[in-house]
Amino acid sequence: MYFSDFDNYEKYEKPISGETYIRKQMGPVPSHFFEAIGELIDEGKIDESSERVINYSKYKYSSLTDPDISLLSSDEIQVMDDTINKLSHFYFEEISKYSHGDIPWRLAKDGEILNYEAVFYRDPEYSVRDYDD
């Protein structure tokens, strides 16, 4: 979701979710992640499962209902589709490393909020906006 939010901000100057992201060791983390997951579980919209992998728990979330996308614009849906197409083949370690190269993450210190405005200074590898227009 981080890349969808920040890519949408770069292209259209507004995030999709409006979520605040925090710089953590493994990459950007939505500040309200656990509250949102808890709500979705309580509402019966998702299921959470976990398994032990070496010395940490790996969590998997499965949708139990079709999401309501009526609040999303076609541009927002396109940005999310583009993000999925660009990043879905990455393993956890790869996406973590990739996120560490994005300027909003690089500018923040551990535990700090990532600045959406930093997307306008992205390296070409991360930029999604055509600045020639």
Side-chain angles (χ1 to χ4, degrees):
M1 195 62 210
Y2 160 77
F3 281 107
S4 291
D5 267 334
F6 278 69
D7 288 356
N8 201 77
Y9 194 89
E10 184 183 6
K11 286 183 96 166
Y12 304 110
E13 301 184 15
K14 63 179 186 163
I16 295 171
S17 73
E19 178 62 288
T20 301
Y21 292 84
I22 308 296
R23 179 184 161 143
K24 296 286 187 179
Q25 180 181 2
M26 301 308 288
V29 176
S31 62
H32 298 97
F33 176 79
F34 294 108
E35 292 94 334
I37 291 297
E39 278 182 39
L40 292 168
I41 290 170
D42 291 346
E43 294 170 3
K45 294 182 177 178
I46 65 169
D47 180 51
E48 176 185 73
S49 60
S50 67
E51 65 178 278
R52 195 79 179 147
V53 178
I54 303 173
N55 60 350
Y56 68 93
S57 294
K58 176 182 172 183
Y59 291 89
K60 180 180 177 181
Y61 301 95
S62 303
S63 182
L64 301 174
T65 63
D66 289 332
D68 177 9
I69 61 171
S70 66
L71 298 175
L72 299 170
S73 72
S74 60
D75 288 336
E76 291 169 334
I77 292 169
Q78 186 61 57
V79 167
M80 289 189 291
D81 285 345
D82 291 346
T83 301
I84 291 166
N85 289 332
K86 181 169 76 173
L87 303 175
S88 64
H89 66 282
F90 283 11
Y91 291 102
F92 170 77
E93 294 84 7
E94 294 171 315
I95 202 162
S96 175
K97 182 178 177 182
Y98 184 70
S99 73
H100 292 178
D102 201 10
I103 196 72
W105 191 88
R106 289 180 8 219
L107 291 176
K109 294 179 181 158
D110 285 342
E112 287 185 345
I113 294 172
L114 277 64
N115 184 348
Y116 276 97
E117 294 290 322
V119 296
F120 300 115
Y121 303 96
R122 281 176 154 172
D123 294 333
E125 171 186 0
Y126 294 88
S127 183
V128 295
R129 185 171 179 168
D130 184 0
Y131 288 96
D132 291 334
D133 291 339

